[in-house]
Amino acid sequence: MRLRAKKTQQQVADECGISKSLLSKIENGQTASAIATLSKISEALNVPLSWLLDDQEDRDLVLLPSNKRQFKVGDDNMGYSYELLANRSPFTGVEPTIVYVTPRDMNVREESYTHSQDEFIYVLEGAIHLRYEGRKHYMEQGDSAYFKGDKPHLFIPVNNEPARVLTIFIDNQL
């Protein structure tokens, strides 16, 4: 996608605020990356987030049986892993994802994330603290929130039980 956009690795890395080396490793599948970083890359390339993980053509109807989805993309050392639920058209501006929050004893992430999309979350299982602009908000199964992704935020595990969060990224720039 970067080559189709006629951009160099350095150009995309600069737009995303990451190193050229990290971008190269991501492109070559040598490292997992945070959703926030992948989101910035997808924005720089003007493609949906799912295109970075699933190179399918845009369609009006996306049926993705559970046995065809790639489960738990990423690295638990990031504080979470995730599963993309659909490869959506770039015109919808919506990316549904399930985030698997790493249990507290395994979670070493303390830095908040930012990205350009708004975010809706719904806690499917377990409990988290949503840290948003420095304040912690307790959320458990059935709770939901909507917030601006460009504000610092992080899902923090409450305990050593797994948590699953339905996350919908909404691109309001379309």
Side-chain angles (χ1 to χ4, degrees), residues 107-114 119 121 128-139 145 147-149 151-158:
N107 195 321
V108 297
R109 177 128 192 134
E110 293 181 13
E111 296 173 39
S112 295
Y113 293 104
T114 62
E119 194 167 336
I121 65 172
I128 63 166
H129 285 109
L130 169 62
R131 187 169 71 203
Y132 185 75
E133 290 194 287
R135 292 184 56 208
K136 279 186 4 181
H137 306 274
Y138 177 78
M139 299 182 70
F147 54 89
K148 298 286 186 184
K151 305 286 185 184
H153 61 279
L154 180 65
F155 300 167
I156 302 170
V158 170

Side-chain angles (χ1 to χ4, degrees), residues 29-75:
Q30 295 173 339
T31 188
S33 185
I35 287 180
T37 302
L38 294 177
S39 175
K40 290 175 184 176
I41 294 169
S42 71
E43 184 178 314
L45 298 176
N46 199 29
V47 296
L49 177 61
S50 59
W51 270 62
L52 296 180
L53 301 171
D54 185 12
D55 191 21
Q56 296 180 15
E57 291 183 29
D58 292 331
R59 294 172 282 182
D60 291 337
L61 172 64
V62 178
L63 297 175
L64 191 56
S66 61
N67 64 349
K68 301 280 187 198
R69 283 196 308 265
Q70 187 174 3
F71 288 95
K72 295 185 109 176
V73 176
D75 182 350

Side-chain angles (χ1 to χ4, degrees), residues 21-33 38 74-75:
S21 170
L22 176 59
L23 180 61
S24 176
K25 288 178 183 178
I26 293 168
E27 283 185 354
N28 293 309
Q30 295 173 339
T31 188
S33 185
L38 294 177
D75 182 350

